[in-house]
Amino acid sequence: MEMPLIMIVMAVNIFQINPIFIVVAVLDIIFMVLYFWYCKRPTLTSKELDLKSKTPLFNSLNEMAAGLVSLRIYHQKANDLKKFAKRVNQSFQANISFWFVSRIFGLYLSYVSNLIVLFGLLLGLYWLSRDDGTDIGLYGVSAVFLIQINDLTQWFLRQLLSFESLMVSAERSFKITKLQS
C-alpha cells in the first residue's frame, strides 16, 4: 500500500515542478499497462504449460519408485527410462518457454518505457533552455522522480505478473488435490 502513495506524491511533485512531464508520465503508464495486458495471456499460458508438463513427470517418477522390483524382474528399466527422459525433456522445454516469455516481458517493458522517459527528459531540457525562469535543480529533482515512477511502475507490473503466475500454480495444485483417486 505504501508504493502507490509514494508514486502519487512523486507525481504531484513532478507535475508542480515541471508540467511538461505530465504528458510523458501519462504516456509511459498507459504504454506499460497496455503492454502488461498484451503479455499477460501468453505468460500465463506458458506457465500453465509448464505446470501441465510437470504432472506426467512426477507421475512417472512415482511409478518408477513404486515399481522398482517389477522393473528389475521384467527388465523394463530401459523403456521406463526412455519415457522418463522424454517427460523430463518436455518439462524442461516448457519451463524454458515460461522463463523466456517472462524475461522478454521485462526486457521490452524496460526498454520502451525507458525510451519514453528519455524522450521526456530531452523534451524537458528543451523546455528548460527556452525558459529562463526555471531552476535547473528543480528540473533535476523532477527528472529523478520521473525515473523513479517509471522504475516503480515497471517493478509493480513484473511483480503482478509473477503473482498471477504463482496463482496459476496454486490453482493447479488445488485441482490436483481434489482429483478422484
Side-chain angles (χ1 to χ4, degrees):
M1 185 64 187
E2 182 179 328
M3 188 191 66
L5 294 176
I6 291 172
M7 287 178 58
I8 291 170
V9 168
M10 284 193 295
V12 168
N13 286 332
I14 288 172
F15 302 154
Q16 287 178 347
I17 295 170
N18 199 345
I20 195 74
F21 285 153
I22 293 172
V23 175
V24 176
V26 168
L27 284 175
D28 192 35
I29 290 173
I30 287 172
F31 161 75
M32 286 193 275
V33 169
L34 290 176
Y35 186 67
F36 171 77
W37 287 113
Y38 176 74
C39 291
K40 181 179 166 183
R41 184 177 176 121
T43 305
L44 293 180
T45 303
S46 66
K47 181 64 176 179
E48 288 175 2
L49 179 65
D50 179 34
L51 293 172
K52 287 178 182 177
S53 69
K54 283 185 171 56
T55 303
L57 178 67
F58 292 138
N59 288 342
S60 177
L61 186 63
N62 191 20
E63 288 171 5
M64 286 177 68
L68 276 178
V69 174
S70 63
L71 284 175
R72 289 182 184 153
I73 292 173
Y74 297 112
H75 303 289
Q76 293 295 317
K77 190 174 186 181
N79 290 337
D80 282 348
L81 283 177
K82 286 179 186 177
K83 289 179 190 176
F84 184 71
K86 181 180 177 184
R87 289 179 178 159
V88 167
N89 189 27
Q90 289 171 343
S91 177
F92 183 69
Q93 288 174 348
N95 190 304
I96 291 293
S97 71
F98 168 70
W99 181 85
F100 182 75
V101 168
S102 62
R103 296 301 181 256
I104 288 294
F105 167 75
L107 174 75
Y108 284 145
L109 181 71
S110 177
Y111 180 70
V112 175
S113 65
N114 286 336
L115 284 178
I116 292 171
V117 168
L118 178 65
F119 172 74
L121 293 176
L122 293 175
L123 187 65
L125 282 175
Y126 174 73
W127 185 275
L128 185 65
S129 68
R130 290 185 52 226
D131 186 17
D132 294 330
T134 306
D135 185 17
I136 191 74
L138 290 177
Y139 171 78
V141 169
S142 61
V144 167
F145 281 170
L146 182 66
I147 292 169
Q148 286 180 340
I149 286 176
N150 181 36
D151 290 343
L152 285 173
T153 308
Q154 287 179 34
W155 176 83
F156 176 72
L157 291 176
R158 285 192 304 267
Q159 295 304 315
L160 187 62
L161 194 62
S162 295
F163 175 75
E164 290 203 23
S165 70
L166 289 174
M167 288 298 105
V168 168
S169 298
E171 181 182 2
R172 178 105 173 123
S173 298
F174 284 133
K175 284 181 182 177
I176 289 173
T177 57
K178 291 183 180 179
L179 290 176
Q180 299 280 336
S181 41

